[in-house]
Amino acid sequence: MPPEPMPICPPMSGENGPKTATGLSPTNGGNGTYSYYENSYYQRIAAKFEYQKINDEISEKFNIENVLSLSRTVRIADLGCATGPNTFINMQNIMEAIKHKHKTLNPNSSTALEFQVFFNDLVTNDFNTLFASLPKDKDYFAAGVPGSFRGQIFPESSLHFVYTSHSLHWLSKLPAELEEEDSPAWNKGRVHYTSAPDGVVEAYKSQFSKEMEKFLEARAKELVGGGMLVMIFSGAPKEMHLSSTANGAMLDFMASILMEMVQEGMIKESQVDSFNLPLYNSATPEEIKGLVERNGCFSIERLELSTPSSWLENPIDIAAWMMHVRAAMEGSFIKHFGSSEVVDQVFTRLTKKHLDHSQMLQTWCNQKVQLFVVLKRSN
Protein backbone atom coordinates (compact mmCIF):
# COMPACT_ATOMS: atom_id res chain seq x y z
CA MET A 1 0.00 0.00 0.00
CA PRO A 2 1.30 3.31 -0.47
CA PRO A 3 2.97 5.67 1.35
CA GLU A 4 3.41 7.53 4.72
CA PRO A 5 4.12 10.72 5.86
CA MET A 6 6.32 13.08 4.75
CA PRO A 7 9.70 12.68 3.49
CA ILE A 8 11.68 14.44 6.03
CA CYS A 9 10.18 14.23 9.42
CA PRO A 10 8.98 11.64 9.07
CA PRO A 11 8.61 10.09 5.63
CA MET A 12 5.37 8.76 4.26
CA SER A 13 5.31 5.83 2.00
CA GLY A 14 4.66 2.17 1.84
CA GLU A 15 1.82 -0.29 1.92
CA ASN A 16 -1.15 1.61 3.28
CA GLY A 17 -1.34 4.86 1.42
CA PRO A 18 -4.12 7.45 1.38
CA LYS A 19 -7.75 6.45 1.00
CA THR A 20 -10.59 8.60 -0.23
CA ALA A 21 -14.23 7.76 -0.73
CA THR A 22 -13.30 5.96 -3.95
CA GLY A 23 -10.71 3.66 -2.41
CA LEU A 24 -7.12 3.21 -1.40
CA SER A 25 -4.43 4.71 -3.63
CA PRO A 26 -0.88 3.45 -4.02
CA THR A 27 2.19 5.63 -4.40
CA ASN A 28 2.80 7.03 -7.88
CA GLY A 29 4.15 4.29 -10.13
CA GLY A 30 6.64 4.42 -12.99
CA ASN A 31 9.82 6.46 -12.85
CA GLY A 32 8.60 9.87 -14.00
CA THR A 33 8.89 13.29 -12.39
CA TYR A 34 6.34 12.64 -9.63
CA SER A 35 6.97 8.91 -9.21
CA TYR A 36 7.71 7.35 -5.85
CA TYR A 37 10.70 5.62 -7.43
CA GLU A 38 12.31 9.01 -8.07
CA ASN A 39 11.00 10.68 -4.92
CA SER A 40 11.68 8.42 -1.96
CA TYR A 41 15.15 9.55 -0.94
CA TYR A 42 14.06 10.93 2.42
CA GLN A 43 12.29 7.71 3.32
CA ARG A 44 15.46 5.84 2.43
CA ILE A 45 17.63 8.01 4.69
CA ALA A 46 15.15 7.85 7.57
CA ALA A 47 15.16 4.04 7.36
CA LYS A 48 18.93 3.93 6.99
CA PHE A 49 19.17 5.81 10.28
CA GLU A 50 18.01 2.56 11.95
CA TYR A 51 20.36 0.17 10.10
CA GLN A 52 22.87 -0.23 12.88
CA LYS A 53 20.11 -0.95 15.38
CA ILE A 54 18.71 -3.65 13.08
CA ASN A 55 22.17 -5.16 12.66
CA ASP A 56 22.67 -5.18 16.43
CA GLU A 57 19.32 -6.86 17.06
CA ILE A 58 20.03 -9.54 14.45
CA SER A 59 23.50 -10.12 15.85
CA GLU A 60 22.28 -10.45 19.43
CA LYS A 61 18.82 -11.95 19.16
CA PHE A 62 17.95 -13.44 15.76
CA ASN A 63 17.52 -17.17 16.28
CA ILE A 64 19.36 -18.47 13.24
CA GLU A 65 19.51 -21.98 14.72
CA ASN A 66 15.75 -22.26 14.12
CA VAL A 67 16.35 -21.62 10.44
CA LEU A 68 19.20 -24.04 10.03
CA SER A 69 17.47 -26.84 11.92
CA LEU A 70 14.95 -27.27 9.11
CA SER A 71 16.42 -25.64 6.02
CA ARG A 72 19.26 -23.42 4.88
CA THR A 73 16.76 -21.03 3.25
CA VAL A 74 15.97 -17.83 5.12
CA ARG A 75 12.64 -16.29 4.16
CA ILE A 76 12.27 -12.52 4.53
CA ALA A 77 9.30 -10.28 3.73
CA ASP A 78 9.12 -6.53 3.18
CA LEU A 79 5.56 -5.38 3.84
CA GLY A 80 4.71 -2.17 2.00
CA CYS A 81 7.61 -2.35 -0.45
CA ALA A 82 6.21 0.26 -2.92
CA THR A 83 8.17 0.47 -6.19
CA GLY A 84 11.82 0.58 -5.14
CA PRO A 85 14.66 1.26 -4.89
CA ASN A 86 14.48 1.55 -1.08
CA THR A 87 13.16 -1.94 -0.56
CA PHE A 88 16.16 -3.53 -2.32
CA ILE A 89 18.61 -1.59 -0.16
CA ASN A 90 16.76 -2.48 3.04
CA MET A 91 16.53 -6.17 2.16
CA GLN A 92 20.23 -6.32 1.29
CA ASN A 93 21.16 -4.80 4.63
CA ILE A 94 19.11 -7.38 6.52
CA MET A 95 20.57 -10.27 4.51
CA GLU A 96 24.13 -9.08 5.10
CA ALA A 97 23.49 -8.91 8.84
CA ILE A 98 22.08 -12.46 8.87
CA LYS A 99 24.99 -13.74 6.78
CA HIS A 100 27.42 -12.14 9.19
CA LYS A 101 25.77 -13.78 12.17
CA HIS A 102 25.79 -17.16 10.45
CA LYS A 103 29.48 -16.80 9.62
CA THR A 104 30.28 -15.73 13.18
CA LEU A 105 28.49 -18.73 14.68
CA ASN A 106 29.80 -21.18 12.07
CA PRO A 107 33.26 -19.96 10.99
CA ASN A 108 34.24 -23.32 9.52
CA SER A 109 30.93 -24.19 7.90
CA SER A 110 30.81 -24.71 4.15
CA THR A 111 27.02 -24.38 4.14
CA ALA A 112 25.94 -21.15 2.52
CA LEU A 113 22.57 -19.68 3.35
CA GLU A 114 19.97 -19.15 0.66
CA PHE A 115 17.50 -16.27 0.82
CA GLN A 116 14.00 -15.88 -0.47
CA VAL A 117 12.65 -12.32 -0.35
CA PHE A 118 8.95 -11.55 -0.64
CA PHE A 119 7.95 -8.06 -1.76
CA ASN A 120 4.45 -7.18 -0.59
CA ASP A 121 2.17 -4.26 -1.37
CA LEU A 122 -1.35 -3.51 -2.53
CA VAL A 123 -2.59 -5.27 -5.64
CA THR A 124 -2.65 -1.85 -7.34
CA ASN A 125 1.01 -1.22 -6.61
CA ASP A 126 3.29 -0.82 -9.64
CA PHE A 127 4.97 -4.21 -9.42
CA ASN A 128 6.17 -3.84 -13.02
CA THR A 129 8.44 -0.96 -12.07
CA LEU A 130 9.49 -2.78 -8.91
CA PHE A 131 10.63 -5.96 -10.64
CA ALA A 132 12.05 -4.18 -13.69
CA SER A 133 14.45 -2.45 -11.31
CA LEU A 134 15.53 -5.53 -9.34
CA PRO A 135 19.32 -5.46 -8.84
CA LYS A 136 20.97 -7.54 -11.56
CA ASP A 137 23.51 -8.88 -9.07
CA LYS A 138 20.93 -9.86 -6.42
CA ASP A 139 21.83 -12.96 -4.44
CA TYR A 140 18.31 -14.01 -3.45
CA PHE A 141 15.14 -15.46 -4.93
CA ALA A 142 12.50 -12.76 -5.36
CA ALA A 143 8.71 -13.05 -5.33
CA GLY A 144 5.84 -10.57 -5.29
CA VAL A 145 2.97 -10.98 -2.84
CA PRO A 146 0.08 -8.60 -3.61
CA GLY A 147 -2.48 -7.92 -0.90
CA SER A 148 -3.12 -5.97 2.29
CA PHE A 149 -0.80 -6.82 5.15
CA ARG A 150 -3.62 -6.13 7.60
CA GLY A 151 -4.53 -9.79 7.17
CA GLN A 152 -2.60 -13.02 6.76
CA ILE A 153 -0.84 -13.19 3.36
CA PHE A 154 1.68 -16.01 3.99
CA PRO A 155 1.29 -19.62 5.22
CA GLU A 156 1.63 -20.28 8.93
CA SER A 157 5.18 -20.49 10.30
CA SER A 158 6.69 -19.73 6.89
CA LEU A 159 8.70 -16.54 7.54
CA HIS A 160 11.86 -15.95 9.55
CA PHE A 161 12.14 -12.17 9.32
CA VAL A 162 9.53 -9.51 8.55
CA TYR A 163 10.32 -5.86 7.91
CA THR A 164 8.09 -2.87 7.27
CA SER A 165 9.16 0.74 6.89
CA HIS A 166 6.96 3.85 6.76
CA SER A 167 3.75 1.96 6.08
CA LEU A 168 2.03 1.21 9.37
CA HIS A 169 0.98 4.79 10.06
CA TRP A 170 -1.31 4.59 7.01
CA LEU A 171 -4.72 3.18 7.81
CA SER A 172 -6.35 0.77 5.37
CA LYS A 173 -9.58 2.75 5.65
CA LEU A 174 -10.99 5.83 7.31
CA PRO A 175 -12.92 5.59 10.57
CA ALA A 176 -16.59 5.23 9.62
CA GLU A 177 -17.57 8.08 11.95
CA LEU A 178 -15.75 10.58 9.74
CA GLU A 179 -18.37 10.10 7.04
CA GLU A 180 -21.36 10.92 9.28
CA GLU A 181 -22.28 14.61 9.42
CA ASP A 182 -24.04 14.27 12.78
CA SER A 183 -21.07 12.44 14.35
CA PRO A 184 -18.65 14.06 16.85
CA ALA A 185 -15.97 12.85 14.43
CA TRP A 186 -17.33 14.80 11.44
CA ASN A 187 -14.14 16.56 10.38
CA LYS A 188 -15.46 19.66 8.64
CA GLY A 189 -12.85 21.85 6.94
CA ARG A 190 -9.92 19.58 7.81
CA VAL A 191 -8.14 16.66 6.15
CA HIS A 192 -6.74 14.96 9.26
CA TYR A 193 -7.07 14.83 13.04
CA THR A 194 -4.34 17.47 13.49
CA SER A 195 -5.99 20.44 15.26
CA ALA A 196 -9.31 18.55 15.28
CA PRO A 197 -11.79 18.00 18.16
CA ASP A 198 -11.30 15.04 20.51
CA GLY A 199 -13.99 12.99 18.75
CA VAL A 200 -11.97 13.00 15.54
CA VAL A 201 -8.74 12.12 17.33
CA GLU A 202 -10.36 9.21 19.16
CA ALA A 203 -11.88 7.85 15.95
CA TYR A 204 -8.46 7.76 14.30
CA LYS A 205 -6.83 6.24 17.38
CA SER A 206 -9.46 3.52 17.60
CA GLN A 207 -9.08 2.64 13.92
CA PHE A 208 -5.30 2.42 14.28
CA SER A 209 -5.63 0.09 17.28
CA LYS A 210 -8.00 -2.22 15.40
CA GLU A 211 -5.70 -2.41 12.40
CA MET A 212 -2.55 -2.95 14.46
CA GLU A 213 -4.27 -5.77 16.31
CA LYS A 214 -5.02 -7.47 12.97
CA PHE A 215 -1.49 -6.83 11.75
CA LEU A 216 0.08 -8.44 14.83
CA GLU A 217 -2.32 -11.39 14.72
CA ALA A 218 -1.37 -12.08 11.10
CA ARG A 219 2.37 -11.80 11.73
CA ALA A 220 2.09 -14.08 14.76
CA LYS A 221 0.71 -16.79 12.46
CA GLU A 222 3.24 -16.27 9.68
CA LEU A 223 6.48 -16.07 11.69
CA VAL A 224 8.28 -19.12 12.99
CA GLY A 225 9.07 -19.34 16.69
CA GLY A 226 12.00 -17.01 17.34
CA GLY A 227 11.29 -15.10 14.12
CA MET A 228 11.82 -11.35 14.12
CA LEU A 229 9.55 -8.45 13.19
CA VAL A 230 11.03 -4.97 12.61
CA MET A 231 8.71 -1.97 12.24
CA ILE A 232 9.66 1.61 11.40
CA PHE A 233 6.85 4.16 11.26
CA SER A 234 5.70 7.59 12.39
CA GLY A 235 5.14 8.21 16.07
CA ALA A 236 5.35 10.82 18.77
CA PRO A 237 6.01 11.22 22.49
CA LYS A 238 2.87 11.00 24.60
CA GLU A 239 2.97 14.67 25.53
CA MET A 240 3.57 16.04 22.01
CA HIS A 241 0.88 17.97 20.15
CA LEU A 242 0.77 16.93 16.51
CA SER A 243 0.10 20.49 15.37
CA SER A 244 3.57 21.39 16.67
CA THR A 245 5.36 19.03 14.30
CA ALA A 246 6.49 19.50 10.71
CA ASN A 247 4.03 16.93 9.41
CA GLY A 248 1.20 18.26 11.52
CA ALA A 249 1.83 21.76 10.18
CA MET A 250 1.84 20.38 6.64
CA LEU A 251 -1.55 18.75 7.12
CA ASP A 252 -2.99 21.97 8.56
CA PHE A 253 -1.54 23.91 5.62
CA MET A 254 -3.15 21.42 3.27
CA ALA A 255 -6.58 22.00 4.81
CA SER A 256 -6.25 25.79 4.71
CA ILE A 257 -5.19 25.66 1.04
CA LEU A 258 -8.21 23.56 0.10
CA MET A 259 -10.50 26.04 1.88
CA GLU A 260 -8.83 28.88 -0.04
CA MET A 261 -9.63 27.03 -3.24
CA VAL A 262 -13.25 26.67 -2.08
CA GLN A 263 -13.47 30.46 -1.68
CA GLU A 264 -12.05 30.85 -5.18
CA GLY A 265 -14.67 28.50 -6.61
CA MET A 266 -12.18 25.84 -7.74
CA ILE A 267 -13.68 23.08 -5.61
CA LYS A 268 -16.77 22.59 -3.46
CA GLU A 269 -16.73 22.87 0.33
CA SER A 270 -18.49 19.51 0.59
CA GLN A 271 -15.53 17.95 -1.22
CA VAL A 272 -13.15 19.25 1.44
CA ASP A 273 -15.41 18.16 4.30
CA SER A 274 -15.51 14.60 2.94
CA PHE A 275 -11.79 14.35 2.23
CA ASN A 276 -9.68 12.89 5.06
CA LEU A 277 -6.26 11.28 4.99
CA PRO A 278 -6.15 7.84 6.65
CA LEU A 279 -2.95 8.63 8.47
CA TYR A 280 -2.28 7.98 12.15
CA ASN A 281 1.16 9.47 12.64
CA SER A 282 1.25 10.05 16.38
CA ALA A 283 1.35 6.53 17.85
CA THR A 284 3.21 6.57 21.17
CA PRO A 285 5.56 3.92 22.56
CA GLU A 286 2.98 3.33 25.29
CA GLU A 287 0.27 2.58 22.72
CA ILE A 288 2.46 0.10 20.85
CA LYS A 289 3.57 -1.58 24.07
CA GLY A 290 -0.06 -2.07 25.10
CA LEU A 291 -1.04 -3.54 21.71
CA VAL A 292 1.90 -5.97 21.69
CA GLU A 293 1.21 -7.11 25.24
CA ARG A 294 -2.48 -7.59 24.44
CA ASN A 295 -1.53 -9.77 21.47
CA GLY A 296 0.64 -11.94 23.72
CA CYS A 297 2.66 -13.65 20.96
CA PHE A 298 5.75 -11.44 20.93
CA SER A 299 8.46 -10.21 23.22
CA ILE A 300 9.47 -6.57 22.83
CA GLU A 301 13.20 -6.50 22.10
CA ARG A 302 13.42 -2.81 21.31
CA LEU A 303 10.91 0.05 21.33
CA GLU A 304 12.03 3.66 21.01
CA LEU A 305 11.51 7.01 19.35
CA SER A 306 14.23 8.53 17.21
CA THR A 307 14.87 11.68 15.19
CA PRO A 308 14.81 10.57 11.54
CA SER A 309 16.09 13.92 10.29
CA SER A 310 19.17 14.04 12.53
CA TRP A 311 21.27 13.47 9.42
CA LEU A 312 20.23 16.86 8.01
CA GLU A 313 23.19 19.23 7.85
CA ASN A 314 21.62 21.89 5.63
CA PRO A 315 18.20 23.59 5.63
CA ILE A 316 15.32 21.50 4.37
CA ASP A 317 14.92 21.42 0.61
CA ILE A 318 11.25 22.39 0.62
CA ALA A 319 10.72 21.73 -3.09
CA ALA A 320 12.16 18.22 -2.81
CA TRP A 321 10.08 17.53 0.30
CA MET A 322 6.89 18.52 -1.50
CA MET A 323 7.80 16.30 -4.46
CA HIS A 324 8.04 13.37 -2.04
CA VAL A 325 4.66 14.20 -0.53
CA ARG A 326 3.11 14.48 -3.97
CA ALA A 327 4.53 11.11 -5.01
CA ALA A 328 2.80 9.61 -1.98
CA MET A 329 -0.55 11.42 -2.11
CA GLU A 330 -1.29 12.50 -5.66
CA GLY A 331 -3.48 9.50 -6.47
CA SER A 332 -5.78 10.20 -3.54
CA PHE A 333 -6.26 13.85 -4.48
CA ILE A 334 -7.05 13.00 -8.10
CA LYS A 335 -9.50 10.27 -7.07
CA HIS A 336 -11.37 12.57 -4.72
CA PHE A 337 -11.25 15.90 -6.52
CA GLY A 338 -11.14 14.46 -10.03
CA SER A 339 -8.69 16.93 -11.50
CA SER A 340 -4.94 17.06 -12.03
CA GLU A 341 -5.31 20.87 -12.08
CA VAL A 342 -6.47 20.74 -8.46
CA VAL A 343 -3.43 18.64 -7.55
CA ASP A 344 -1.09 21.09 -9.27
CA GLN A 345 -2.67 23.98 -7.38
CA VAL A 346 -2.55 22.20 -4.02
CA PHE A 347 1.14 21.32 -4.23
CA THR A 348 2.21 24.63 -5.77
CA ARG A 349 0.53 26.47 -2.91
CA LEU A 350 1.74 23.96 -0.36
CA THR A 351 5.34 24.52 -1.46
CA LYS A 352 4.93 28.29 -1.10
CA LYS A 353 3.30 27.93 2.31
CA HIS A 354 6.22 25.81 3.52
CA LEU A 355 8.75 28.28 2.15
CA ASP A 356 6.98 31.03 4.09
CA HIS A 357 7.34 29.00 7.31
CA SER A 358 10.68 27.30 6.60
CA GLN A 359 12.42 28.54 9.75
CA MET A 360 9.72 27.14 12.02
CA LEU A 361 9.65 23.83 10.13
CA GLN A 362 13.42 23.52 10.28
CA THR A 363 13.26 23.75 14.08
CA TRP A 364 10.48 21.19 14.30
CA CYS A 365 12.36 18.68 12.19
CA ASN A 366 14.62 17.91 15.16
CA GLN A 367 11.84 16.11 17.01
CA LYS A 368 11.62 12.43 17.90
CA VAL A 369 8.85 11.35 15.54
CA GLN A 370 9.98 7.96 14.24
CA LEU A 371 9.13 4.73 16.04
CA PHE A 372 11.60 1.86 15.87
CA VAL A 373 10.17 -1.45 17.10
CA VAL A 374 11.73 -4.91 17.18
CA LEU A 375 9.58 -7.87 18.22
CA LYS A 376 10.46 -11.53 18.53
CA ARG A 377 7.92 -14.32 18.02
CA SER A 378 7.54 -16.47 21.09
CA ASN A 379 8.41 -20.14 20.65
Side-chain angles (χ1 to χ4, degrees):
M1 305 180 174
E4 203 168 309
M6 283 83 261
I8 296 191
C9 26
M12 293 183 166
S13 74
E15 199 250 11
N16 284 311
K19 176 186 181 295
T20 67
T22 53
L24 196 62
S25 299
T27 50
N28 283 349
N31 54 8
T33 302
Y34 301 118
S35 67
Y36 182 76
Y37 185 91
E38 294 294 339
N39 294 283
S40 55
Y41 172 76
Y42 289 127
Q43 286 92 331
R44 185 184 320 156
I45 296 299
K48 188 176 180 180
F49 179 77
E50 312 290 9
Y51 277 9
Q52 189 55 52
K53 297 177 190 176
I54 294 174
N55 294 348
D56 291 343
E57 293 301 311
I58 290 173
S59 175
E60 295 172 17
K61 300 166 186 175
F62 182 62
N63 193 347
I64 201 166
E65 290 80 7
N66 274 20
V67 177
L68 297 178
S69 66
L70 299 174
S71 167
R72 63 190 183 98
T73 302
V74 182
R75 292 180 292 277
I76 304 171
D78 182 4
L79 307 184
C81 63
T83 57
N86 296 356
T87 183
F88 307 132
I89 299 170
N90 296 333
M91 293 300 96
Q92 194 64 45
N93 175 68
I94 291 168
M95 286 189 295
E96 292 302 323
I98 293 174
K99 288 178 187 177
H100 179 73
K101 175 157 190 178
H102 177 238
K103 187 66 176 176
T104 301
L105 293 177
N106 305 278
N108 300 316
S109 174
S110 59
T111 302
L113 295 179
E114 289 186 327
F115 291 88
Q116 184 168 21
V117 177
F118 299 99
F119 297 97
N120 158 259
D121 214 306
L122 287 176
V123 296
T124 47
N125 183 59
D126 186 1
F127 282 100
N128 286 335
T129 294
L130 176 72
F131 286 108
S133 54
L134 270 169
K136 290 183 171 50
D137 59 348
K138 64 179 177 63
D139 55 351
Y140 53 87
F141 300 98
V145 182
S148 171
F149 59 46
R150 300 298 172 178
Q152 186 177 348
I153 48 178
F154 297 95
E156 290 194 20
S157 302
S158 63
L159 299 176
H160 302 103
F161 197 103
V162 174
Y163 173 88
T164 181
S165 178
H166 298 114
S167 293
L168 283 171
H169 40 234
W170 287 104
L171 304 174
S172 67
K173 64 179 181 179
L174 289 165
E177 306 95 299
L178 266 65
E179 301 175 9
E180 303 167 4
E181 290 192 42
D182 58 349
S183 166
W186 176 246
N187 203 20
K188 184 175 179 59
R190 288 176 292 268
V191 301
H192 189 247
Y193 65 88
T194 306
S195 305
D198 290 345
V200 179
V201 178
E202 287 305 312
Y204 269 92
K205 184 175 181 178
S206 175
Q207 184 67 32
F208 174 78
S209 294
K210 292 174 186 175
E211 297 201 3
M212 275 299 296
E213 285 175 354
K214 292 180 180 178
F215 176 85
L216 292 172
E217 287 172 5
R219 304 297 81 78
K221 291 178 181 177
E222 296 165 349
L223 279 162
V224 301
M228 191 167 280
L229 169 59
V230 172
M231 303 178 286
I232 302 170
F233 58 108
S234 297
K238 192 174 183 179
E239 67 280 0
M240 179 179 283
H241 294 287
L242 191 57
S243 58
S244 299
T245 66
N247 282 327
M250 187 201 70
L251 294 163
D252 279 343
F253 291 162
M254 208 175 269
S256 67
I257 286 167
L258 289 171
M259 292 306 295
E260 288 172 7
M261 293 170 67
V262 168
Q263 297 302 316
E264 295 169 18
M266 293 188 65
I267 54 177
K268 296 177 181 178
E269 187 171 0
S270 59
Q271 288 180 291
V272 179
D273 293 343
S274 60
F275 180 70
N276 292 284
L277 291 167
L279 170 66
Y280 187 73
N281 55 337
S282 59
T284 66
E286 291 82 1
E287 278 181 85
I288 301 305
K289 183 174 184 289
L291 287 165
V292 174
E293 290 178 346
R294 189 152 63 246
N295 173 270
C297 296
F298 298 93
S299 60
I300 299 174
E301 303 300 325
R302 196 159 185 165
L303 171 57
E304 61 192 38
L305 283 165
S306 59
T307 306
S309 58
S310 58
W311 51 273
L312 277 174
E313 297 178 357
N314 301 309
I316 301 169
D317 185 336
I318 297 293
W321 181 12
M322 293 301 100
M323 289 280 279
H324 281 63
V325 177
R326 182 166 181 166
M329 296 186 178
E330 183 170 29
S332 288
F333 276 88
I334 290 177
K335 272 190 176 183
H336 190 81
F337 295 101
S339 168
S340 57
E341 181 184 353
V342 169
V343 177
D344 289 338
Q345 279 291 321
V346 167
F347 286 99
T348 296
R349 298 183 189 205
L350 193 60
T351 301
K352 183 180 183 304
K353 187 85 77 171
H354 279 73
L355 288 169
D356 292 342
H357 296 82
S358 60
Q359 188 171 357
M360 174 190 74
L361 294 168
Q362 183 70 43
T363 301
W364 283 351
C365 273
N366 294 317
Q367 296 165 322
K368 290 188 174 184
V369 289
Q370 179 163 284
L371 273 166
F372 178 72
V373 187
V374 179
L375 307 181
K376 192 172 180 180
R377 180 67 169 93
S378 304
N379 288 317

